[in-house]
Amino acid sequence: MRRADRLFRIVEYLKARRETVTAKELGEELEVGVRTIYRDIADLRASGVPLTGEAGVGYLLSPNYVVRPLLFDDEELEALALGAQMVQSWADPAMAQAARRALDRITVVLPDSLADNIRQSTSYAYPSSGKPALQIDFTSLRRAIGTRHLVEFAYIDQNGSSTTRRIRPLAIIFLAPNWMVAAWCELRCDFRHFRVDRMQELVVLDEQFELEPGKTLDDMQRQCEEEFQKKSPSATS
């Protein structure tokens, strides 16, 4: 469970009760240690949540405390609804489901008038017939970025030549209608971008990589900016 989710769950749990709740009980409910609960309680108090009680006795939340939902204006809601549709249309199934869940969570806490704006959105995004077919498990590739696992695959370039690549995946980039993976390529010993639809026989390796200087996403972005500046007209004038 993410820390932000845990803090929200603590508030939910305490608000549903009218008697003090011990740190041990909270820890058992959230499957974390008592010391973690103590730190979370301190952070909640620092952010203004009206908690009474102390360690060893228990905690109580003021019954007048209201967890206020996020409110958006009409255009913000339109953008969220359209963005979620675009993710559902173009991303992998797991990301599409996540987009639907996120939109449902937002909708359920909105006042009815605003929730209707999402349900009756007049902006749409549908899958295109030009969407390239993928031959790999896109979800596995995307998750390998978060877990820093090396991946291997066969890559077919624009000339039809095939090479075997072993990379450190750093980011996923959408350049419609294509998905790209930005990576450190161990074959070329340099940064490379690979079109996901040209990748075959993807294997996520058990081996993880560390963030080494010169091989990170920040380094790649810095290199791209430097190359762009060298090519710009102002750089040669």
Side-chain angles (χ1 to χ4, degrees):
M1 181 184 296
R2 296 180 306 169
R3 180 174 174 277
D5 293 336
R6 190 175 66 245
L7 293 176
F8 184 78
R9 180 70 186 108
I10 289 174
V11 172
E12 273 190 330
Y13 191 86
L14 292 175
K15 189 166 179 59
R17 287 157 180 79
R18 290 292 175 261
E19 67 282 355
T20 57
V21 179
T22 65
K24 180 181 179 182
E25 182 180 345
L26 284 168
E28 291 173 349
E29 175 68 19
L30 301 173
E31 299 180 346
V32 296
V34 171
R35 289 186 179 181
T36 298
I37 295 297
Y38 289 157
R39 289 194 295 268
D40 290 345
I41 292 293
D43 289 342
L44 287 170
R45 280 174 165 165
S47 67
V49 177
L51 288 165
T52 59
E54 59 186 27
V57 177
Y59 302 98
L60 190 64
L61 179 64
S62 169
N64 297 322
Y65 181 69
V66 177
V67 182
R68 298 187 181 277
L70 293 175
L71 294 182
F72 304 92
D73 62 31
D74 291 345
E75 289 199 342
E76 289 171 339
L77 290 173
E78 187 98 2
L80 289 169
L82 180 59
Q85 286 186 37
M86 292 175 70
V87 170
Q88 292 175 55
S89 297
W90 292 95
D92 60 278
M95 184 64 80
Q97 280 192 341
R100 284 193 293 272
R101 291 197 306 271
L103 199 58
D104 286 345
R105 288 190 180 187
I106 292 171
T107 303
V108 78
V109 298
L110 290 173
D112 289 343
S113 59
L114 291 177
D116 286 342
N117 288 349
I118 286 185
R119 299 186 187 100
Q120 299 170 10
S121 173
T122 55
S123 298
Y124 299 93
Y126 292 112
S128 168
S129 59
K131 181 179 179 180
L134 303 185
Q135 302 180 60
I136 65 165
D137 184 346
F138 190 18
T139 302
S140 294
L141 173 62
R142 181 172 55 77
R143 289 175 176 170
I145 295 172
T147 58
R148 296 180 189 165
H149 277 84
L150 292 164
V151 300
E152 284 186 350
F153 55 91
Y155 191 68
I156 311 299
D157 65 18
Q158 58 184 356
N159 299 317
S161 300
S162 176
T163 55
T164 299
R165 302 298 182 104
R166 177 186 172 101
I167 65 169
R168 301 179 178 200
L170 302 174
I172 288 289
I173 304 167
F174 184 54
L175 297 174
N178 299 308
W179 284 97
M180 313 282 288
V181 57
W184 173 265
C185 178
E186 299 202 339
L187 176 64
R188 304 303 185 196
C189 295
D190 200 357
F191 295 112
R192 289 290 188 272
H193 290 85
F194 300 94
R195 274 181 48 171
V196 176
D197 60 302
R198 292 178 177 171
M199 300 169 67
Q200 300 177 353
E201 302 171 9
L202 178 79
V203 177
V204 179
L205 305 177
D206 292 333
E207 183 180 351
Q208 292 178 283
F209 61 89
E210 299 294 332
L211 295 179
E212 299 179 34
K215 299 181 180 181
T216 68
L217 182 60
D218 286 342
D219 295 320
M220 185 178 197
Q221 292 172 332
R222 189 159 41 249
Q223 184 185 91
C224 290
E225 290 172 0
E226 291 172 354
E227 291 176 353
F228 176 78
Q229 289 175 357
K230 289 178 182 178
K231 295 177 180 178
S232 64
S234 60
T236 57
S237 60

